[in-house]
Amino acid sequence: MNLTIDIGNSNIKISKFENNKFIELLILHNELDIIKFLQSEVNNTFINSIIICSVSENISELLLSVARMVKNFIVFSHKTPVPIINVYSSPKTLGLDRLAAAVGAFTIFPNKNCLIVDAGTAITFDLLNNKGEYLGGAISPGLTIRYKALSHFTKKLPELEFTENLEYPGKNTINSIHTGVQSGILYETEGYICNLEKYYSDLHVLVTGGDVNFLVRNLKKPIFAQPNLVAIGLQRIIQFNEKNP
């Protein structure tokens, strides 16, 4: 069994793979939870490989020492070999979760033009061409950030929690905020898709992230939803490094 550990801005996702098939997802909330989980798994289950991908470079030595107990252990970094070509002009600044998601897209749709939309704390748009080249993308505020920003930078607008509401025109301030935030994300996403379709034939759009269901319900363009895209990419990176030590 392989474990992929994706330490993000909001939570920690641990995915289990058996014979290259995704079998289980666990959501944890802090590093201590990861350590307790790994200690239990290492003692009771055969684990072949572990890969850790973190938005922060600060991974505790205790967590690393537990992870090193398995046969193959990778701390995913910009130096880790991957099965795609990164032509980003500043490759060391590219978020590792974005790179892993691109590998995941390449795994699902090899040699296809792909747009990856990751709707999380931030919304990222990443382009991978049919040569397996990661070309770059865009970073935009996610749903939660947009709600918080409207309240923080104005004097009278309230801070709202996400409630799906696309009524237009909004008949009151609450509905207007919901409609503005949510429609803005949808129009932005569909705009990227429409523009890229002019230049990349047979574009495959993959959506993932914590707000993936909102996009799935409301985008009018054909999309492929894969909530575990980063994990699939990390699993592929494990395989690639096993074959290319």
Side-chain angles (χ1 to χ4, degrees):
M1 182 173 70
N2 292 343
L3 297 179
T4 69
I5 302 175
D6 176 17
I7 304 175
N9 292 305
S10 303
N11 53 41
I12 299 159
K13 297 179 180 179
I14 298 182
S15 299
K16 296 182 179 181
F17 288 83
E18 191 76 61
N19 297 322
N20 201 34
K21 292 184 179 180
F22 173 85
I23 58 174
E24 186 178 2
L25 171 67
L26 296 93
I27 305 294
L28 304 179
H29 301 288
N30 57 63
E31 197 172 86
L32 182 59
D33 289 341
I34 309 176
I35 293 169
K36 291 179 179 178
F37 168 79
L38 288 181
Q39 288 173 330
S40 174
E41 289 292 306
V42 168
N43 291 329
N44 297 291
T45 308
F46 174 74
I47 300 174
N48 183 66
S49 300
I50 293 177
I51 185 169
I52 297 179
C53 173
S54 176
V55 295
S56 169
E57 296 182 359
N58 299 318
I59 303 174
S60 76
E61 186 56 40
L62 179 58
L63 172 55
L64 294 176
S65 65
V66 175
R68 289 191 187 104
M69 294 172 66
V70 304
K71 179 181 177 181
N72 300 306
F73 169 57
I74 299 172
V75 176
F76 185 39
S77 73
H78 296 100
K79 296 180 180 179
T80 305
V82 295
I84 63 174
I85 302 167
N86 183 3
V87 298
Y88 207 48
S89 63
S90 55
K92 292 183 179 180
T93 68
L94 176 63
L96 293 172
D97 53 342
R98 295 173 66 190
L99 183 57
V103 174
F106 184 72
T107 302
I108 297 170
F109 294 116
N111 305 116
K112 301 291 184 181
N113 295 313
C114 294
L115 173 66
I116 303 109
V117 183
D118 190 337
T121 304
I123 302 175
T124 55
F125 303 88
D126 294 292
L127 183 62
L128 183 75
N129 68 16
N130 56 16
K131 298 177 183 178
E133 295 173 328
Y134 173 82
L135 302 179
I139 304 173
S140 186
L143 274 169
T144 300
I145 292 178
R146 295 184 193 216
Y147 279 116
K148 289 182 179 294
L150 281 175
S151 173
H152 181 76
F153 291 106
T154 63
K155 292 183 178 180
K156 293 186 177 181
L157 294 181
E159 182 177 330
L160 303 180
E161 297 289 333
F162 168 73
T163 300
E164 194 164 315
N165 185 336
L166 292 167
E167 173 189 336
Y168 183 82
K171 300 298 193 298
N172 55 56
T173 299
I174 300 299
N175 285 348
S176 295
I177 292 173
H178 284 307
T179 299
V181 168
Q182 295 169 37
S183 296
I185 285 176
L186 295 174
Y187 294 154
E188 180 179 350
T189 302
E190 290 177 348
Y192 276 115
I193 296 171
C194 289
N195 185 57
L196 288 171
E197 284 177 334
K198 299 175 184 177
Y199 305 99
Y200 295 91
S201 61
D202 194 25
L203 183 71
H204 291 66
V205 181
L206 299 93
V207 295
T208 190
D211 293 320
V212 62
N213 290 331
F214 168 70
L215 295 181
V216 169
R217 286 191 298 267
N218 295 290
L219 284 176
K220 297 177 182 179
K221 287 285 188 177
I223 57 175
F224 178 83
Q226 179 46 265
N228 304 309
L229 188 61
V230 171
I232 291 170
L234 292 173
Q235 164 66 9
R236 178 69 183 91
I237 292 166
I238 289 175
Q239 292 181 310
F240 185 76
N241 281 269
E242 287 176 345
K243 294 179 180 179
N244 301 275

